[in-house]
Amino acid sequence: MRTLIMAAVLICNPITMAVIGGVKWSRDYNASMKTAYEERNYARVCPEYKAASKWDRWFDQNLGYIDWCEKYLDRV
């Protein structure tokens, strides 16, 4: 019973809720910034990725960084 009360106090604590909310906001914000970057730059970056062979995509380090282009190959 004592453990349950301590867990409830910890979960309902405004500081705990603020930290959890801040972490969630930060993750959502970073994901939206990543998506916005990809939307802005796919037309410039992805043609190189599309032209590369599967071997190059697997083993070229620079193409490995732009593997997000896989989602945009139908637009290029």
Side-chain angles (χ1 to χ4, degrees):
M1 182 69 177
R2 187 172 164 182
T3 306
L4 183 61
I5 292 172
M6 290 300 291
V9 168
L10 181 62
I11 291 172
C12 296
N13 186 340
I15 295 171
T16 304
M17 297 309 292
V19 169
I20 292 170
V23 169
K24 184 181 178 329
W25 177 86
S26 176
R27 294 182 82 187
D28 292 345
Y29 179 75
N30 288 339
S32 70
M33 293 302 291
K34 179 182 174 209
T35 303
Y37 170 81
E38 292 171 356
E39 289 288 330
R40 280 193 316 267
N41 294 309
Y42 79 89
R44 183 173 49 89
V45 175
C46 293
E48 178 185 356
Y49 185 81
K50 185 175 183 178
S53 68
K54 190 165 285 286
W55 178 267
D56 289 335
R57 290 180 191 172
W58 284 351
F59 294 107
D60 186 351
Q61 184 177 8
N62 294 328
L63 292 174
Y65 289 138
I66 59 172
D67 61 346
W68 54 265
C69 283
E70 197 71 40
K71 298 183 288 190
Y72 297 98
L73 289 180
D74 59 334
R75 296 189 196 179
V76 176

